[in-house]
Amino acid sequence: MNNQIESKSSLNGKRVIILGGSTGIGFATAKAAAAEGAKVVIVSGNQSKINNALSQLPEDAEGYAVDLSHEENIKSFFEQAGKFDHLVYTAAENINLYNIDQTDIEAARKFFNLRYWGAYAAVKYGIPFINEGGSVNLTGGTAGTRPAAGWSMASSICGAIEGLVRALAVELAPIRVNAVVPGVIDTNLWDSLPAENKEGLYNWAKDTLLLGRVGHADDVALAFVYLMKQSFGTGLNLVVDGGTLLV
């Protein structure tokens, strides 16, 4: 029995597909999974970033340039990729923060395209190819629970992902469906903010959070590895936030 549990909880030899895997949290997750013996497949829309990421991953890693903002591209990718064990979705563009009276609703719809609908399509078209014992792992954010002024779009997307995780965990069982819910993490996703706003956000984290620092991509990667390795949790939105929701 112990050997059976250990086999289920190991990533050694498992094929892990990471959409959004060439930079930031996705790339950190690719490195962490590879270190556990997984064969990683990274996907993003930028070939040069993929090439750079592959140069830092084991030789058996694969990388594909796919525009994940289009459903047909995602469908075609999974049809070509074939069987795998774990799906991780971290793809996201830099989101702009506006108060509702300044929000262009048509432009705001586009932020759902990659972050929410891309994840939805990845699950829809990836599920037929997931091996027994596999899992789906999405990305939310603490803005869904504790937004600030101007975060209505970010909060809406994060809340939608958390609800999707619970619904799909029921619908797709026994495939496990979970998400990691990061707090303020130092990645290039904040680069759309003016420099002073970005610095102010990081300073707020350092001065306010219980752990006294901004999070790192590696912190979140460990959470994704945990969700892939454990075999008795589903419908989880695992918070990794340095104490954001407690202060």
Side-chain angles (χ1 to χ4, degrees):
M1 177 67 73
N2 285 340
N3 289 339
Q4 193 174 39
I5 293 174
E6 288 176 6
S7 175
K8 285 184 177 181
S9 66
S10 172
L11 288 185
N12 190 39
K14 302 297 185 182
R15 192 166 187 237
V16 177
I17 294 181
I18 305 169
L19 300 172
S22 63
T23 60
I25 290 170
F27 178 51
T29 302
K31 289 192 294 183
E36 297 269 347
K39 180 177 181 180
V40 297
V41 180
I42 60 172
V43 181
S44 77
N46 188 306
Q47 185 65 58
S48 64
K49 290 181 179 178
I50 290 171
N51 293 342
N52 181 60
L54 288 175
S55 72
Q56 302 173 64
L57 291 169
E59 290 185 0
D60 64 356
E62 304 171 51
Y64 300 94
V66 179
D67 183 349
L68 299 172
S69 64
H70 296 284
E71 178 183 351
E72 282 302 314
N73 294 348
I74 295 172
K75 181 175 184 287
S76 296
F77 166 74
F78 281 107
E79 288 173 347
Q80 296 171 25
K83 288 291 199 176
F84 64 98
D85 298 285
H86 301 287
L87 171 64
V88 177
Y89 193 93
T90 63
E93 75 288 82
N94 294 350
I95 194 167
N96 294 318
L97 304 175
Y98 297 107
N99 288 341
I100 193 167
D101 61 346
Q102 300 172 322
T103 298
D104 179 331
I105 293 179
E106 193 57 39
R109 293 183 205 275
K110 296 177 182 178
F111 288 118
F112 272 86
N113 200 30
L114 183 60
R115 291 171 176 256
Y116 179 81
W117 289 115
Y120 197 101
V123 178
K124 176 178 179 178
Y125 296 114
I127 281 298
F129 301 100
I130 293 183
N131 293 322
E132 182 180 354
S135 70
V136 171
N137 305 275
L138 306 181
T139 307
T142 53
T145 301
R146 191 174 183 183
W151 287 64
S152 60
M153 283 306 306
S155 181
S156 298
I157 295 168
C158 292
I161 289 291
E162 292 191 25
L164 179 64
V165 162
R166 289 187 286 269
L168 292 181
V170 174
E171 181 176 328
L172 300 178
I175 293 173
R176 295 179 292 108
V177 182
N178 298 297
V180 177
V181 181
V184 180
I185 308 298
D186 184 6
T187 71
N188 59 353
L189 286 181
W190 299 109
D191 289 350
S192 60
L193 294 179
E196 62 273 17
N197 291 4
K198 179 178 177 180
E199 183 179 0
L201 177 66
Y202 286 3
N203 286 337
W204 170 85
K206 293 173 184 176
D207 295 340
T208 307
L209 297 187
L210 299 180
L211 298 187
R213 67 174 176 87
V214 174
H216 302 299
D218 290 346
D219 297 320
V220 186
L222 290 175
F224 276 116
V225 168
Y226 164 73
L227 289 175
M228 287 185 276
K229 290 177 65 175
Q230 62 81 30
S231 60
F232 198 60
T234 192
L236 303 175
N237 286 288
L238 180 61
V239 177
V240 181
D241 70 344
T244 299
L245 297 183
L246 297 178
V247 296

